[in-house]
Amino acid sequence: MPEAKPRHVEPAAIRTLGCALLERAGASAADAGIVMDHLIDASAMGLHSHGVMRVPQYLAEIASGTIDPRAEPAIVRAAPSRLSVDGRRSLGQVAGMRMVEALIPVARETGIALANGRHLGHTGRVGAYPEALAKAGLVGLAVCNGAPSGHWVAPFGGRDGRISTNPIAVGWPVEGGAPVVADFSTATTAEGVVRVLRDRGELAPEGFLRDPAGNPTRDPNTLYAVPKGAIQPLGGALAYRGTALALFVEVLTTLLNGDAVDDRTRKGTDMTILAIAPQAGFAGLARGLSEHMRASPPLDPARPVLMPGDRERANAGTTRLIRVDGPTFDALAAAAATAGLAMLEPVEAG
């Protein structure tokens, strides 16, 4: 499979172009900035599947009416500790951060708060939302699903996609340090990772994918064929555990929003965020937990024990340029030309 040539760009340059494209498509400057900051952070962390490769997707979804870039989510306090959120097809990162902002005072007032959001655009890196809660001193959890059009994942023992990759993310504050943030799919991988592999002309790892007949395959294109293949649930031989976690996400998102999992008229993403106000001294106990884990003698002396989020922060701290895969760069160039904007210039990676 031929490798598509990647480009490298300055973060400020891709932010300027991405914001301009989103604003031309109808987003406010503030909302475009929220989206681009989120995507650039993900790319800088090495999470390209949730990074700037999503800009052409969002522009296409705006053009098709799937996303309304001008929409403002409607947030209602349905119960003392529960918020009901209609995203109104808004940009997913905008809706997600509105949910976080609304949850913080409720959690501080009642001790715990839950927000059920529906009709959201793609929400990006789900770990960003519990991370924001952790920076506010709260313990956070976020889960999200996908509409039937994004049901890429087969259940354990099944052949075709019945649910999305249904990520789970948690975060908590740590005294004197950055929050711990764990963010993982309940499938073997995120769909965006398969898309990145396809765009780079690379094969998927063993065990990630099956073709429409249920045969193991490493070809990422299989997922986008007609009929399409399926991503496998997390866990390999123990993938019934990944399926069980994915079903719990469906309960927290689809079902608590009153939706049917197989309703093909459903559009967009559902996301549920939980915020917990911990007791005094929690962050100190969390520091002790991190220190206890890091003190374990490593199997490889060159690779010390890490806490969730360490690797991503390290990547972000050393990233000077943002990698943009060839198909994404070409799509951005086409969008810039259509919008009458100057395309950003790639630079040499050092």
Side-chain angles (χ1 to χ4, degrees):
M1 299 169 67
E3 180 178 0
K5 181 182 178 182
R7 311 295 210 287
H8 292 84
V9 299
E10 297 281 356
I14 188 66
R15 187 184 192 279
T16 297
L17 176 62
C19 284
L21 288 170
L22 289 169
E23 288 177 50
R24 291 290 180 94
S28 69
D31 288 352
I34 289 171
V35 172
M36 288 309 302
D37 287 342
H38 181 114
L39 298 181
I40 291 168
D41 284 349
S43 285
M45 290 176 178
L47 304 173
H48 300 291
S49 59
H50 291 71
V52 298
M53 68 167 282
R54 297 288 178 170
V55 175
Q57 172 188 332
Y58 296 168
L59 294 174
E61 290 175 347
I62 290 170
S64 70
T66 302
I67 292 176
D68 178 358
R70 299 175 179 84
E72 182 65 25
I75 302 177
V76 176
R77 192 166 180 177
S81 292
R82 186 170 176 183
L83 305 178
S84 178
V85 182
D86 184 345
R88 296 173 170 170
R89 296 183 291 114
S90 56
L91 290 158
Q93 291 88 348
V94 172
M97 290 311 299
R98 298 284 198 277
M99 291 167 69
V100 167
E101 292 162 2
L103 280 167
I104 290 172
V106 178
R108 288 175 175 166
E109 174 192 341
T110 66
I112 187 169
L114 180 75
N116 289 117
R118 63 199 299 247
H119 303 150
L120 316 178
H122 181 264
T123 53
R125 180 177 72 92
V126 178
Y129 309 112
E131 182 175 22
L133 290 169
K135 288 179 178 178
L138 305 175
V139 176
L141 178 145
V143 295
C144 76
N145 66 13
S149 60
H151 283 182
W152 306 102
V153 184
F156 179 68
R159 182 176 296 178
D160 64 344
R162 295 284 164 150
I163 47 178
S164 74
T165 56
N166 288 15
I168 298 172
V170 296
W172 58 87
V174 177
E175 184 179 77
V180 172
V181 180
D183 182 353
F184 59 93
S185 170
T186 56
T188 52
T189 191
E191 179 275 329
V193 172
V194 181
R195 199 187 312 181
V196 168
L197 293 171
R198 179 199 65 184
D199 291 349
R200 292 182 181 179
E202 299 175 3
L203 295 174
E206 295 282 357
F208 273 32
L209 302 170
R210 290 185 184 271
D211 67 18
N215 301 308
T217 180
R218 298 186 62 196
D219 182 2
N221 292 288
T222 301
L223 189 63
Y224 308 101
V226 179
K228 65 183 181 182
I231 299 173
Q232 296 305 286
L234 182 67
L238 301 177
Y240 52 84
R241 296 177 178 174
T243 297
L245 286 171
L247 292 174
F248 183 53
V249 172
E250 289 293 331
V251 169
L252 291 178
T253 54
T254 310
L255 303 191
L256 282 182
N257 272 315
D259 291 328
V261 68
D262 58 350
D263 179 3
R264 295 198 169 272
T265 67
R266 183 161 60 93
K267 305 293 184 183
T269 294
D270 291 359
M271 181 164 66
T272 294
I273 306 178
L274 175 71
I276 302 170
Q279 76 280 8
F282 173 90
L285 294 172
R287 182 186 64 187
L289 173 62
S290 294
E291 291 172 348
H292 179 67
M293 301 303 291
R294 295 185 201 279
S296 176
L299 295 172
D300 179 351
R303 303 179 67 180
V305 173
L306 301 177
M307 289 295 287
D310 284 352
R311 181 180 59 181
E312 290 80 6
R313 272 192 299 274
N315 287 341
T318 58
T319 296
R320 183 179 67 86
L321 300 174
I322 300 298
R323 174 175 171 145
V324 182
D325 292 320
T328 299
F329 191 89
D330 293 345
L332 288 171
T338 299
L341 298 169
M343 182 55 182
L344 74 171
E345 292 291 331
V347 297
E348 290 295 325

